[in-house]
Amino acid sequence: MLLTSSPVTVPRRLSRRVHTLSLNLFFQQGWLREMPFTFLKIGRSKNEQMAQRNNSSQMSECLNHMDSAGEGGEGSGRRPPQEPSTKRRHSQSSSAENTSFDFGENQEDTYPIGRLKKDPDCHMQLDSLSGGPHHTVLIDTKEFYDRKLTPYKGQHVWDSNHVKLPPGLPKSNAEARWRAVQRALHNLTMSKPSVGDVEMAIKSYNHSHQMQWPFDSLYTYFKCLNKKEKNFSSVISKMASLALQLPDLIKHPIPMLKQHRSHAITMSQVQISCLLANAFFCTFPHRNATKPGSEYSNYPTINFSSLFGNTCKRKTEKLRCLFHYFSTVTEEGTKPDGLVTFERICIPLNELPTWKEQQETLSNLHVTANGTIEKEGSGMLQVDFASKFVGGGVLGRGLVQEEIRFLLSPELIVARLFTEKLAENECLKITGVQTYSVCSGYSDSFEWLCPHKDDTERDEWKRRYCQIVALDALSFKDPREQYTEQNLKRELNKAYVGFRGDPNIPSDYTPAIATGNWGCGAFNGDPRLKALIQMMAAAVAKRDLAFFTFRNKNQAQELQKMHKLLKAHQVTVGQLYLLLKKYCDDYSHYQHKKNVFEFVREMASPSSQL
């Protein structure tokens, strides 16, 4: 029986508040006179209106919490908000996409981060873990409620809709290759294996790549080990044993998360560790060819072969992160015992917002030059500045925001096994991953520092309160290409797909979004334009934002001023969209005269001193 459910959580329906927004905006340009203006006096507070519509004790508790904790805006849970728990410290990484701005004023007051909603405080209690057509569960749910994580039994299949597992090869060659894998990995468990033994084992069942795959990066890593890390042989032996457990731990087909189809997979952290051990030993068949037209050309790579060759400091530090992860998950005392959900979300094009007609004004914004998404954004929906192939260059030389996030929480890497590249109206949400390492630096300065003990609480499905959304921005060889209405709408739609919560869960039960310079840096996005896009998408999704500029104080000051201006004049998302469209339409005229913030400031409030 295939265990699934659609959607992943089925919350109790509660009345939703209707956003009615007043605006009083002066525009000098005649081209905007057609924009609709609405004037409305709001008498009662939001909480009073909601309390009157729903008298349930659960809603009352949530509203009481909101009075003290502030407003915000997705969540997949459903229990009444609790007293704020002690804040946990997540590992550090400098996930920076730096851009400099030349503004010298002090940053103005920003919305307090402590008032933004976070999990588990705004969590709604989950329904029982179960299944249906859109949610595959790889553990036995009956056993789960007896506090056992037992693999769910099914019948493996070998087709394009499911992961092709090494033991499941067609009978014609399954016995030969899987037996070769078993022999090679078994040998690694019986001795104190060296790097040479690992290389020999991997090449013994990957004959066509024996001359193509160098292992110099793995040799360099071994030479650089410090005294605390001198456990290479022991960890390799345990990893080999873990990889050999694949037939016992994965007993049900794993569906491929294909384009244009919403689907979720929930599996245990132990199952993930087994799949990643197999990825390390490069056992997954048909996953090494990456040329256009090859069977998996539309998927990220998963076997670790590309990490072992072409040595550089970046790969050495990546291997430090990964070996610490494997050391943790192969020790009985530190083996994780929770679940993780990977959910591909596709919103049909006809359900995406008509941006010029949106009447929402901007939601609350906390903007700061200090802190990081994964640490200070703990408990919020954390944005992964993703590649359309999730994980980007994590198994190669890439080492910016997405790759660092995947190294801090290597369980994310398993998404590469089954996630087809993201289409323009899709995202991938991952709930429940654990953080294993403390790191510092960025790109060439990245370093693994030490282990991290993750004390994040778990929800009713034993998933840690950590939700990450992979959003791929457009990449522009020429930055001028982004200033078109088509590209503006594409980025708005992509951000909205990632930010939108479960439509059945009221926005008051959804945490804020933790984000930053999405699509800037190597993708050449304009940080000002991308910030406006994310604020607009968050407003329509009815969620607040925490925006981290990664030590760029000038950018934080400028963004705070722009947000304050737009809030003060109650500019709607639709009005702001038309302003941005005008800027894009006439970009050749404006590009050397004013940036997008200066243009919006001038058009929205000519008398403003900001």
Side-chain angles (χ1 to χ4, degrees), residues 122-152:
C122 66
H123 178 68
M124 289 180 69
Q125 185 174 343
L126 294 168
D127 285 336
S128 298
L129 180 61
S130 60
H134 299 287
H135 182 200
T136 300
V137 181
L138 295 181
I139 63 159
D140 190 312
T141 54
K142 293 181 179 178
E143 295 281 332
F144 174 72
Y145 286 102
D146 289 331
R147 301 183 182 276
K148 298 177 184 177
L149 295 183
T150 305
Y152 185 76

PDB file of all heavy atoms in Angstrom, residues 122-152:
ATOM      1  N   CYS A 122       3.926  29.375  16.722  1.00  0.00           N
ATOM      2  CA  CYS A 122       2.689  29.614  15.960  1.00  0.00           C
ATOM      3  C   CYS A 122       2.224  28.342  15.255  1.00  0.00           C
ATOM      4  O   CYS A 122       1.438  28.398  14.317  1.00  0.00           O
ATOM      5  CB  CYS A 122       2.900  30.738  14.942  1.00  0.00           C
ATOM      6  SG  CYS A 122       4.078  30.340  13.619  1.00  0.00           S
ATOM      7  N   HIS A 123       2.704  27.210  15.718  1.00  0.00           N
ATOM      8  CA  HIS A 123       2.434  25.928  15.067  1.00  0.00           C
ATOM      9  C   HIS A 123       1.015  25.441  15.348  1.00  0.00           C
ATOM     10  O   HIS A 123       0.510  25.576  16.456  1.00  0.00           O
ATOM     11  CB  HIS A 123       3.442  24.903  15.591  1.00  0.00           C
ATOM     12  CG  HIS A 123       3.284  23.522  15.057  1.00  0.00           C
ATOM     13  ND1 HIS A 123       3.540  23.202  13.740  1.00  0.00           N
ATOM     14  CD2 HIS A 123       2.912  22.363  15.658  1.00  0.00           C
ATOM     15  CE1 HIS A 123       3.343  21.915  13.556  1.00  0.00           C
ATOM     16  NE2 HIS A 123       2.958  21.384  14.702  1.00  0.00           N
ATOM     17  N   MET A 124       0.363  24.875  14.339  1.00  0.00           N
ATOM     18  CA  MET A 124      -0.942  24.231  14.514  1.00  0.00           C
ATOM     19  C   MET A 124      -0.744  22.720  14.499  1.00  0.00           C
ATOM     20  O   MET A 124       0.046  22.192  13.720  1.00  0.00           O
ATOM     21  CB  MET A 124      -1.902  24.635  13.388  1.00  0.00           C
ATOM     22  CG  MET A 124      -2.357  26.074  13.468  1.00  0.00           C
ATOM     23  SD  MET A 124      -3.492  26.497  12.121  1.00  0.00           S
ATOM     24  CE  MET A 124      -4.923  25.542  12.571  1.00  0.00           C
ATOM     25  N   GLN A 125      -1.468  22.038  15.358  1.00  0.00           N
ATOM     26  CA  GLN A 125      -1.275  20.604  15.523  1.00  0.00           C
ATOM     27  C   GLN A 125      -1.508  19.848  14.222  1.00  0.00           C
ATOM     28  O   GLN A 125      -2.447  20.086  13.487  1.00  0.00           O
ATOM     29  CB  GLN A 125      -2.232  20.075  16.589  1.00  0.00           C
ATOM     30  CG  GLN A 125      -2.018  18.608  16.927  1.00  0.00           C
ATOM     31  CD  GLN A 125      -2.885  18.166  18.076  1.00  0.00           C
ATOM     32  OE1 GLN A 125      -3.400  19.013  18.821  1.00  0.00           O
ATOM     33  NE2 GLN A 125      -3.076  16.881  18.229  1.00  0.00           N
ATOM     34  N   LEU A 126      -0.599  18.904  13.938  1.00  0.00           N
ATOM     35  CA  LEU A 126      -0.665  18.132  12.707  1.00  0.00           C
ATOM     36  C   LEU A 126      -1.684  17.009  12.809  1.00  0.00           C
ATOM     37  O   LEU A 126      -1.915  16.457  13.877  1.00  0.00           O
ATOM     38  CB  LEU A 126       0.704  17.509  12.401  1.00  0.00           C
ATOM     39  CG  LEU A 126       1.847  18.454  12.082  1.00  0.00           C
ATOM     40  CD1 LEU A 126       3.167  17.697  12.096  1.00  0.00           C
ATOM     41  CD2 LEU A 126       1.636  19.112  10.734  1.00  0.00           C
ATOM     42  N   ASP A 127      -2.272  16.666  11.670  1.00  0.00           N
ATOM     43  CA  ASP A 127      -3.049  15.440  11.609  1.00  0.00           C
ATOM     44  C   ASP A 127      -2.097  14.255  11.700  1.00  0.00           C
ATOM     45  O   ASP A 127      -0.887  14.385  11.580  1.00  0.00           O
ATOM     46  CB  ASP A 127      -3.812  15.366  10.282  1.00  0.00           C
ATOM     47  CG  ASP A 127      -5.009  16.289  10.260  1.00  0.00           C
ATOM     48  OD1 ASP A 127      -5.508  16.625  11.336  1.00  0.00           O
ATOM     49  OD2 ASP A 127      -5.428  16.681   9.154  1.00  0.00           O
ATOM     50  N   SER A 128      -2.649  13.075  11.883  1.00  0.00           N
ATOM     51  CA  SER A 128      -1.833  11.875  11.949  1.00  0.00           C
ATOM     52  C   SER A 128      -1.079  11.675  10.633  1.00  0.00           C
ATOM     53  O   SER A 128      -1.610  11.955   9.546  1.00  0.00           O
ATOM     54  CB  SER A 128      -2.718  10.645  12.215  1.00  0.00           C
ATOM     55  OG  SER A 128      -3.364  10.763  13.462  1.00  0.00           O
ATOM     56  N   LEU A 129       0.143  11.204  10.759  1.00  0.00           N
ATOM     57  CA  LEU A 129       0.941  10.897   9.581  1.00  0.00           C
ATOM     58  C   LEU A 129       0.274   9.753   8.823  1.00  0.00           C
ATOM     59  O   LEU A 129       0.057   8.679   9.370  1.00  0.00           O
ATOM     60  CB  LEU A 129       2.356  10.505  10.007  1.00  0.00           C
ATOM     61  CG  LEU A 129       3.346  10.136   8.902  1.00  0.00           C
ATOM     62  CD1 LEU A 129       3.560  11.307   7.946  1.00  0.00           C
ATOM     63  CD2 LEU A 129       4.675   9.703   9.513  1.00  0.00           C
ATOM     64  N   SER A 130      -0.072  10.018   7.572  1.00  0.00           N
ATOM     65  CA  SER A 130      -0.792   9.018   6.786  1.00  0.00           C
ATOM     66  C   SER A 130      -0.474   9.211   5.313  1.00  0.00           C
ATOM     67  O   SER A 130       0.466   9.924   4.964  1.00  0.00           O
ATOM     68  CB  SER A 130      -2.299   9.107   7.041  1.00  0.00           C
ATOM     69  OG  SER A 130      -2.771  10.384   6.674  1.00  0.00           O
ATOM     70  N   GLY A 131      -1.243   8.596   4.448  1.00  0.00           N
ATOM     71  CA  GLY A 131      -0.903   8.649   3.037  1.00  0.00           C
ATOM     72  C   GLY A 131      -2.056   8.838   2.088  1.00  0.00           C
ATOM     73  O   GLY A 131      -3.216   8.834   2.454  1.00  0.00           O
ATOM     74  N   GLY A 132      -1.738   9.019   0.821  1.00  0.00           N
ATOM     75  CA  GLY A 132      -2.672   9.260  -0.271  1.00  0.00           C
ATOM     76  C   GLY A 132      -1.888   9.490  -1.545  1.00  0.00           C
ATOM     77  O   GLY A 132      -0.700   9.237  -1.595  1.00  0.00           O
ATOM     78  N   PRO A 133      -2.478  10.011  -2.570  1.00  0.00           N
ATOM     79  CA  PRO A 133      -1.834  10.090  -3.887  1.00  0.00           C
ATOM     80  C   PRO A 133      -0.662  11.061  -3.972  1.00  0.00           C
ATOM     81  O   PRO A 133       0.117  10.980  -4.915  1.00  0.00           O
ATOM     82  CB  PRO A 133      -2.969  10.542  -4.814  1.00  0.00           C
ATOM     83  CG  PRO A 133      -4.215  10.321  -4.061  1.00  0.00           C
ATOM     84  CD  PRO A 133      -3.879  10.409  -2.617  1.00  0.00           C
ATOM     85  N   HIS A 134      -0.528  12.012  -3.050  1.00  0.00           N
ATOM     86  CA  HIS A 134       0.478  13.056  -3.203  1.00  0.00           C
ATOM     87  C   HIS A 134       1.518  13.082  -2.086  1.00  0.00           C
ATOM     88  O   HIS A 134       2.229  14.069  -1.928  1.00  0.00           O
ATOM     89  CB  HIS A 134      -0.200  14.426  -3.299  1.00  0.00           C
ATOM     90  CG  HIS A 134      -1.128  14.543  -4.473  1.00  0.00           C
ATOM     91  ND1 HIS A 134      -0.666  14.649  -5.763  1.00  0.00           N
ATOM     92  CD2 HIS A 134      -2.491  14.535  -4.543  1.00  0.00           C
ATOM     93  CE1 HIS A 134      -1.702  14.730  -6.591  1.00  0.00           C
ATOM     94  NE2 HIS A 134      -2.816  14.646  -5.871  1.00  0.00           N
ATOM     95  N   HIS A 135       1.585  12.018  -1.329  1.00  0.00           N
ATOM     96  CA  HIS A 135       2.555  11.993  -0.224  1.00  0.00           C
ATOM     97  C   HIS A 135       3.006  10.566   0.035  1.00  0.00           C
ATOM     98  O   HIS A 135       2.231   9.757   0.550  1.00  0.00           O
ATOM     99  CB  HIS A 135       1.939  12.604   1.034  1.00  0.00           C
ATOM    100  CG  HIS A 135       2.862  12.670   2.198  1.00  0.00           C
ATOM    101  ND1 HIS A 135       2.418  12.793   3.499  1.00  0.00           N
ATOM    102  CD2 HIS A 135       4.217  12.618   2.273  1.00  0.00           C
ATOM    103  CE1 HIS A 135       3.455  12.827   4.318  1.00  0.00           C
ATOM    104  NE2 HIS A 135       4.559  12.709   3.603  1.00  0.00           N
ATOM    105  N   THR A 136       4.216  10.256  -0.322  1.00  0.00           N
ATOM    106  CA  THR A 136       4.759   8.922  -0.097  1.00  0.00           C
ATOM    107  C   THR A 136       5.488   8.898   1.235  1.00  0.00           C
ATOM    108  O   THR A 136       6.376   9.729   1.482  1.00  0.00           O
ATOM    109  CB  THR A 136       5.731   8.533  -1.220  1.00  0.00           C
ATOM    110  OG1 THR A 136       5.024   8.546  -2.464  1.00  0.00           O
ATOM    111  CG2 THR A 136       6.316   7.149  -0.978  1.00  0.00           C
ATOM    112  N   VAL A 137       5.114   7.958   2.086  1.00  0.00           N
ATOM    113  CA  VAL A 137       5.737   7.807   3.403  1.00  0.00           C
ATOM    114  C   VAL A 137       6.529   6.504   3.401  1.00  0.00           C
ATOM    115  O   VAL A 137       5.965   5.438   3.147  1.00  0.00           O
ATOM    116  CB  VAL A 137       4.684   7.808   4.524  1.00  0.00           C
ATOM    117  CG1 VAL A 137       5.344   7.681   5.886  1.00  0.00           C
ATOM    118  CG2 VAL A 137       3.844   9.077   4.456  1.00  0.00           C
ATOM    119  N   LEU A 138       7.823   6.587   3.684  1.00  0.00           N
ATOM    120  CA  LEU A 138       8.693   5.414   3.580  1.00  0.00           C
ATOM    121  C   LEU A 138       8.848   4.658   4.889  1.00  0.00           C
ATOM    122  O   LEU A 138       9.665   3.739   4.979  1.00  0.00           O
ATOM    123  CB  LEU A 138      10.067   5.828   3.056  1.00  0.00           C
ATOM    124  CG  LEU A 138      10.090   6.367   1.624  1.00  0.00           C
ATOM    125  CD1 LEU A 138      11.512   6.715   1.207  1.00  0.00           C
ATOM    126  CD2 LEU A 138       9.479   5.377   0.651  1.00  0.00           C
ATOM    127  N   ILE A 139       8.074   5.045   5.897  1.00  0.00           N
ATOM    128  CA  ILE A 139       8.064   4.274   7.139  1.00  0.00           C
ATOM    129  C   ILE A 139       6.651   3.761   7.389  1.00  0.00           C
ATOM    130  O   ILE A 139       5.678   4.293   6.836  1.00  0.00           O
ATOM    131  CB  ILE A 139       8.538   5.115   8.345  1.00  0.00           C
ATOM    132  CG1 ILE A 139       7.583   6.289   8.591  1.00  0.00           C
ATOM    133  CG2 ILE A 139       9.970   5.590   8.158  1.00  0.00           C
ATOM    134  CD1 ILE A 139       7.681   6.839   9.986  1.00  0.00           C
ATOM    135  N   ASP A 140       6.538   2.745   8.218  1.00  0.00           N
ATOM    136  CA  ASP A 140       5.240   2.186   8.569  1.00  0.00           C
ATOM    137  C   ASP A 140       4.571   3.117   9.577  1.00  0.00           C
ATOM    138  O   ASP A 140       5.040   3.279  10.700  1.00  0.00           O
ATOM    139  CB  ASP A 140       5.432   0.789   9.166  1.00  0.00           C
ATOM    140  CG  ASP A 140       4.118   0.045   9.344  1.00  0.00           C
ATOM    141  OD1 ASP A 140       3.178   0.649   9.888  1.00  0.00           O
ATOM    142  OD2 ASP A 140       4.062  -1.130   8.951  1.00  0.00           O
ATOM    143  N   THR A 141       3.464   3.731   9.180  1.00  0.00           N
ATOM    144  CA  THR A 141       2.833   4.732  10.047  1.00  0.00           C
ATOM    145  C   THR A 141       2.183   4.107  11.279  1.00  0.00           C
ATOM    146  O   THR A 141       2.065   4.766  12.320  1.00  0.00           O
ATOM    147  CB  THR A 141       1.786   5.538   9.263  1.00  0.00           C
ATOM    148  OG1 THR A 141       0.862   4.640   8.642  1.00  0.00           O
ATOM    149  CG2 THR A 141       2.456   6.376   8.188  1.00  0.00           C
ATOM    150  N   LYS A 142       1.748   2.858  11.180  1.00  0.00           N
ATOM    151  CA  LYS A 142       1.198   2.204  12.376  1.00  0.00           C
ATOM    152  C   LYS A 142       2.294   1.986  13.406  1.00  0.00           C
ATOM    153  O   LYS A 142       2.110   2.226  14.601  1.00  0.00           O
ATOM    154  CB  LYS A 142       0.545   0.876  11.991  1.00  0.00           C
ATOM    155  CG  LYS A 142      -0.708   1.033  11.138  1.00  0.00           C
ATOM    156  CD  LYS A 142      -1.330  -0.324  10.818  1.00  0.00           C
ATOM    157  CE  LYS A 142      -2.591  -0.152   9.978  1.00  0.00           C
ATOM    158  NZ  LYS A 142      -3.187  -1.478   9.628  1.00  0.00           N
ATOM    159  N   GLU A 143       3.451   1.539  12.927  1.00  0.00           N
ATOM    160  CA  GLU A 143       4.590   1.343  13.821  1.00  0.00           C
ATOM    161  C   GLU A 143       5.074   2.681  14.378  1.00  0.00           C
ATOM    162  O   GLU A 143       5.548   2.776  15.509  1.00  0.00           O
ATOM    163  CB  GLU A 143       5.726   0.647  13.078  1.00  0.00           C
ATOM    164  CG  GLU A 143       5.419  -0.768  12.628  1.00  0.00           C
ATOM    165  CD  GLU A 143       5.536  -1.756  13.767  1.00  0.00           C
ATOM    166  OE1 GLU A 143       6.325  -1.489  14.706  1.00  0.00           O
ATOM    167  OE2 GLU A 143       4.847  -2.799  13.729  1.00  0.00           O
ATOM    168  N   PHE A 144       4.935   3.740  13.562  1.00  0.00           N
ATOM    169  CA  PHE A 144       5.390   5.072  13.976  1.00  0.00           C
ATOM    170  C   PHE A 144       4.689   5.508  15.259  1.00  0.00           C
ATOM    171  O   PHE A 144       5.313   6.078  16.158  1.00  0.00           O
ATOM    172  CB  PHE A 144       5.125   6.073  12.851  1.00  0.00           C
ATOM    173  CG  PHE A 144       5.429   7.509  13.207  1.00  0.00           C
ATOM    174  CD1 PHE A 144       6.724   7.951  13.352  1.00  0.00           C
ATOM    175  CD2 PHE A 144       4.395   8.417  13.406  1.00  0.00           C
ATOM    176  CE1 PHE A 144       6.997   9.275  13.684  1.00  0.00           C
ATOM    177  CE2 PHE A 144       4.652   9.737  13.726  1.00  0.00           C
ATOM    178  CZ  PHE A 144       5.964  10.165  13.871  1.00  0.00           C
ATOM    179  N   TYR A 145       3.399   5.229  15.360  1.00  0.00           N
ATOM    180  CA  TYR A 145       2.668   5.642  16.558  1.00  0.00           C
ATOM    181  C   TYR A 145       2.869   4.687  17.726  1.00  0.00           C
ATOM    182  O   TYR A 145       2.359   4.926  18.813  1.00  0.00           O
ATOM    183  CB  TYR A 145       1.194   5.857  16.208  1.00  0.00           C
ATOM    184  CG  TYR A 145       1.034   7.145  15.429  1.00  0.00           C
ATOM    185  CD1 TYR A 145       0.870   7.133  14.049  1.00  0.00           C
ATOM    186  CD2 TYR A 145       1.158   8.380  16.059  1.00  0.00           C
ATOM    187  CE1 TYR A 145       0.772   8.318  13.323  1.00  0.00           C
ATOM    188  CE2 TYR A 145       1.058   9.569  15.345  1.00  0.00           C
ATOM    189  CZ  TYR A 145       0.872   9.533  13.984  1.00  0.00           C
ATOM    190  OH  TYR A 145       0.798  10.713  13.273  1.00  0.00           O
ATOM    191  N   ASP A 146       3.634   3.629  17.482  1.00  0.00           N
ATOM    192  CA  ASP A 146       4.136   2.790  18.572  1.00  0.00           C
ATOM    193  C   ASP A 146       5.591   3.137  18.875  1.00  0.00           C
ATOM    194  O   ASP A 146       6.319   2.351  19.472  1.00  0.00           O
ATOM    195  CB  ASP A 146       4.030   1.300  18.196  1.00  0.00           C
ATOM    196  CG  ASP A 146       2.585   0.826  18.176  1.00  0.00           C
ATOM    197  OD1 ASP A 146       1.772   1.400  18.925  1.00  0.00           O
ATOM    198  OD2 ASP A 146       2.276  -0.106  17.408  1.00  0.00           O
ATOM    199  N   ARG A 147       6.008   4.319  18.403  1.00  0.00           N
ATOM    200  CA  ARG A 147       7.352   4.845  18.632  1.00  0.00           C
ATOM    201  C   ARG A 147       8.442   3.997  17.973  1.00  0.00           C
ATOM    202  O   ARG A 147       9.548   3.848  18.491  1.00  0.00           O
ATOM    203  CB  ARG A 147       7.634   4.991  20.135  1.00  0.00           C
ATOM    204  CG  ARG A 147       6.646   5.914  20.841  1.00  0.00           C
ATOM    205  CD  ARG A 147       6.996   6.078  22.307  1.00  0.00           C
ATOM    206  NE  ARG A 147       6.031   6.929  22.978  1.00  0.00           N
ATOM    207  CZ  ARG A 147       6.069   8.256  22.981  1.00  0.00           C
ATOM    208  NH1 ARG A 147       7.027   8.887  22.336  1.00  0.00           N
ATOM    209  NH2 ARG A 147       5.147   8.942  23.631  1.00  0.00           N
ATOM    210  N   LYS A 148       8.118   3.453  16.803  1.00  0.00           N
ATOM    211  CA  LYS A 148       9.105   2.689  16.043  1.00  0.00           C
ATOM    212  C   LYS A 148       9.209   3.263  14.641  1.00  0.00           C
ATOM    213  O   LYS A 148       8.203   3.608  14.025  1.00  0.00           O
ATOM    214  CB  LYS A 148       8.694   1.209  15.956  1.00  0.00           C
ATOM    215  CG  LYS A 148       8.593   0.497  17.289  1.00  0.00           C
ATOM    216  CD  LYS A 148       8.109  -0.937  17.084  1.00  0.00           C
ATOM    217  CE  LYS A 148       7.911  -1.656  18.413  1.00  0.00           C
ATOM    218  NZ  LYS A 148       7.380  -3.032  18.218  1.00  0.00           N
ATOM    219  N   LEU A 149      10.446   3.381  14.133  1.00  0.00           N
ATOM    220  CA  LEU A 149      10.654   3.835  12.764  1.00  0.00           C
ATOM    221  C   LEU A 149      10.998   2.615  11.916  1.00  0.00           C
ATOM    222  O   LEU A 149      12.169   2.296  11.678  1.00  0.00           O
ATOM    223  CB  LEU A 149      11.770   4.882  12.702  1.00  0.00           C
ATOM    224  CG  LEU A 149      11.495   6.204  13.423  1.00  0.00           C
ATOM    225  CD1 LEU A 149      12.636   7.179  13.226  1.00  0.00           C
ATOM    226  CD2 LEU A 149      10.187   6.821  12.935  1.00  0.00           C
ATOM    227  N   THR A 150       9.963   1.934  11.473  1.00  0.00           N
ATOM    228  CA  THR A 150      10.117   0.712  10.697  1.00  0.00           C
ATOM    229  C   THR A 150       9.874   1.006   9.220  1.00  0.00           C
ATOM    230  O   THR A 150       8.872   1.643   8.872  1.00  0.00           O
ATOM    231  CB  THR A 150       9.095  -0.345  11.171  1.00  0.00           C
ATOM    232  OG1 THR A 150       9.247  -0.526  12.572  1.00  0.00           O
ATOM    233  CG2 THR A 150       9.294  -1.661  10.436  1.00  0.00           C
ATOM    234  N   PRO A 151      10.762   0.564   8.322  1.00  0.00           N
ATOM    235  CA  PRO A 151      10.546   0.809   6.889  1.00  0.00           C
ATOM    236  C   PRO A 151       9.227   0.212   6.416  1.00  0.00           C
ATOM    237  O   PRO A 151       8.867  -0.907   6.804  1.00  0.00           O
ATOM    238  CB  PRO A 151      11.735   0.108   6.225  1.00  0.00           C
ATOM    239  CG  PRO A 151      12.786   0.044   7.281  1.00  0.00           C
ATOM    240  CD  PRO A 151      12.042  -0.125   8.576  1.00  0.00           C
ATOM    241  N   TYR A 152       8.511   0.971   5.603  1.00  0.00           N
ATOM    242  CA  TYR A 152       7.256   0.457   5.054  1.00  0.00           C
ATOM    243  C   TYR A 152       7.565  -0.484   3.899  1.00  0.00           C
ATOM    244  O   TYR A 152       8.382  -0.187   3.028  1.00  0.00           O
ATOM    245  CB  TYR A 152       6.367   1.601   4.580  1.00  0.00           C
ATOM    246  CG  TYR A 152       5.018   1.124   4.132  1.00  0.00           C
ATOM    247  CD1 TYR A 152       4.051   0.764   5.064  1.00  0.00           C
ATOM    248  CD2 TYR A 152       4.714   0.988   2.780  1.00  0.00           C
ATOM    249  CE1 TYR A 152       2.809   0.296   4.666  1.00  0.00           C
ATOM    250  CE2 TYR A 152       3.469   0.521   2.375  1.00  0.00           C
ATOM    251  CZ  TYR A 152       2.531   0.181   3.318  1.00  0.00           C
ATOM    252  OH  TYR A 152       1.308  -0.298   2.925  1.00  0.00           O
TER     253      TYR A 152
END
